[in-house]
Amino acid sequence: MRKYFLILFLSIAGSAFSQDLHNARKTVNQLASKALWGRGYTNNGMAKAADFICSAFKAYGLSPMSGADFKQPFSFPVNTFPGKMLVTINGKKLSPGKDYIVMPQSIGKTAKGKFVQKDSVTFADTDQRIITVLKDKLTWSVAPQQDDFTGIEINKNAIKGIPLNFQINIENAFIPEFNTSNVCGIVKGTTKPDSLLVITAHYDHLGGMGSKTYFPGANDNASGISFLLSLAKYYAANPQPYTMAFICFAGEEAGLLGSKYFTDHPLVPLQKIRFLVNVDMVGTGETGITVVNATIHPKEFSLLNQLNDKSKYLPKINSRGKAANSDHYFFTEKNVPAFFIYTTGGISAYHDIYDRPKTLPLTEYQDLFKLFIDFNAALMK
């Protein structure tokens, strides 16, 4: 009889985790969809993503961290490209995102002319302040300012030979105060509500370049938000002794701006945080995970490894030192104990148009979820 109940329990647990994976993929699909337009600065992409997360928090039964609203508003400057995006090189019309990207700090320009070669990969029309650079891979980013030139990075395989002449029509719009919000929710602790465990992830991405090209950001970081939402749903249904807090940051791609704002204007006392784990790009895992700040918190890193070794969740947990490479950083600077975890192996798409849901494997999503549950439980003992 005991064996029967054990088999039944394992079957139910396995079904629940399978359902979590189904919901996780559905969430990734929604966050990386065309409707949310890269969760960026045009077509209200970031605002739509924030509303999506607020709706999920409310549906799960979380409470607003501020007591009134899930959103923590703030603003920052950003350069955007909402409209025309036409580039012709050597008489060939190029495809945005695939064949070229506009340097994110560029000003808009309508012009035609000829390039002068500056070095093996750099070409310019200095009179019109237009520069182009040949690249092996196109990787876009976000700029909080606009400069006084127009820059174009070209996939070197998109044209034959070197760029000799050009015709461009590029529209930019600089926004001095782009309004956005962090999204913050909690599940109050049952016995020690003043002690907090915090899970964080950024929900913003690069948005769109022109009116026809957007950057889906499936791994970066729809995967992390999906993972965070799965944990939020679990803990809302299973309250813990400590308060479980969930923060989804905006402005990460523009320079960790959402997490900087939160640590400067915290909605909970930072000294009450027992531990924080930030997740960013957790959609793979074939070769394991990497833990930033592992060397700063050896006790917690050892605990994470012990739990993983016991249950054989992940193939490897790699140690890394302090790094200012995601939203954990400003918490670390405020003496909040924190890890930043990302998965390794699998797809290499990053900050390009190919970071799409259909190629994101979510290889170790379920095992990482289980490891987080075990780790948080151990931290509360």
Side-chain angles (χ1 to χ4, degrees):
M1 182 62 71
R2 287 182 180 179
K3 183 177 180 181
Y4 169 78
F5 281 116
L6 177 61
I7 293 172
L8 179 62
F9 172 79
L10 292 174
S11 175
I12 294 171
S15 176
F17 281 119
S18 296
Q19 186 63 33
D20 281 343
L21 188 60
H22 171 78
N23 289 334
R25 186 162 292 285
K26 183 178 178 181
T27 299
V28 169
N29 289 342
Q30 290 173 300
L31 288 170
S33 67
K34 185 178 180 179
L36 269 63
W37 203 249
R39 306 184 304 282
Y41 305 91
T42 57
N43 291 353
N44 293 318
M46 201 180 302
K48 292 175 183 176
D51 288 342
F52 174 85
I53 296 167
C54 287
S55 295
F57 278 1
K58 185 176 181 180
Y60 299 158
L62 275 70
S63 300
M65 188 177 289
S66 69
D69 195 329
F70 287 117
K71 293 181 180 179
Q72 181 191 37
F74 68 103
S75 64
F76 56 90
V78 67
N79 197 34
T80 72
F81 300 90
K84 295 177 181 177
M85 188 61 57
L86 303 174
V87 173
T88 299
I89 303 291
N90 299 345
K92 179 184 178 182
K93 184 178 178 181
L94 302 185
S95 175
K98 177 184 176 183
D99 298 330
Y100 76 92
I101 57 173
V102 174
M103 295 179 189
Q105 69 273 38
S106 296
I107 58 171
K109 180 142 327 209
T110 300
K112 62 180 179 180
K114 294 183 179 181
F115 286 123
V116 174
Q117 187 167 3
K118 299 298 182 180
D119 59 36
S120 60
V121 296
T122 308
F123 305 81
D125 181 331
T126 54
D127 291 338
Q128 300 191 80
R129 299 193 62 74
I130 299 170
I131 185 172
T132 189
V133 180
L134 297 179
K135 290 283 188 175
D136 292 320
K137 184 186 184 305
L138 300 177
T139 303
W140 208 37
S141 59
V142 179
Q145 78 286 334
Q146 63 175 355
D147 289 335
D148 63 347
F149 70 92
T150 303
I152 304 165
E153 296 183 1
I154 300 174
N155 185 328
K156 67 180 184 180
N157 296 317
I159 61 172
K160 294 181 179 179
I162 62 174
L164 299 172
N165 55 71
F166 66 88
Q167 184 170 352
I168 64 172
N169 188 353
I170 295 170
E171 178 187 352
N172 89 303
F174 181 73
I175 304 174
E177 290 190 22
F178 177 80
N179 294 307
T180 186
S181 301
N182 296 324
V183 183
C184 316
I186 60 170
V187 177
K188 192 172 182 179
T190 55
T191 59
K192 297 181 179 179
D194 290 335
S195 296
L196 288 87
L197 294 178
V198 184
I199 309 297
T200 68
H202 76 90
Y203 71 88
D204 65 301
H205 194 52
L206 306 176
M209 190 177 70
S211 60
K212 297 182 179 179
T213 300
Y214 73 100
F215 293 73
N219 196 29
D220 186 14
N221 186 33
S223 67
I225 291 295
S226 173
F227 189 81
L228 179 150
L229 290 177
S230 291
L231 288 169
K233 184 178 182 180
Y234 173 85
Y235 285 119
N238 301 276
Q240 300 295 300
Y242 287 16
T243 291
M244 304 300 299
F246 303 89
I247 311 172
C248 303
F249 295 114
E252 193 270 353
E253 302 289 11
L256 312 182
L257 300 180
S259 51
K260 177 66 165 63
Y261 186 85
F262 185 94
T263 54
D264 287 341
H265 306 84
L267 299 179
V268 293
L270 298 182
Q271 68 272 20
K272 300 286 188 180
I273 298 176
R274 166 64 181 90
F275 210 81
L276 179 149
V277 182
N278 179 59
V279 287
D280 192 350
M281 298 195 298
V282 291
T284 62
E286 287 84 346
T287 58
I289 63 172
T290 295
V291 180
V292 174
N293 279 358
T295 58
I296 297 178
H297 304 294
K299 181 180 177 181
E300 285 81 5
F301 184 67
S302 176
L303 174 61
L304 194 68
N305 273 281
Q306 290 171 22
L307 295 168
N308 188 61
D309 290 344
K310 179 181 178 181
S311 298
K312 308 298 182 185
Y313 290 135
L314 306 170
K316 187 177 182 182
I317 299 180
N318 302 292
S319 170
R320 186 171 173 180
K322 183 178 178 180
N325 56 350
S326 194
D327 285 311
H328 66 288
Y329 175 71
F330 287 110
F331 288 91
T332 298
E333 293 296 282
K334 297 278 189 176
N335 298 314
V336 175
F339 283 159
F340 161 35
I341 290 178
Y342 58 91
T343 54
T344 59
I347 62 168
S348 60
Y350 175 73
H351 277 220
D352 55 34
I353 61 172
Y354 305 107
D355 185 8
R356 299 173 292 198
K358 67 179 182 180
T359 56
L360 189 66
L362 297 181
T363 313
E364 288 292 346
Y365 177 92
Q366 291 171 296
D367 286 332
L368 188 61
F369 182 93
K370 295 173 188 176
L371 179 59
F372 266 60
I373 299 300
D374 289 354
F375 183 61
N376 287 333
L379 289 174
M380 287 182 278
K381 290 181 179 178

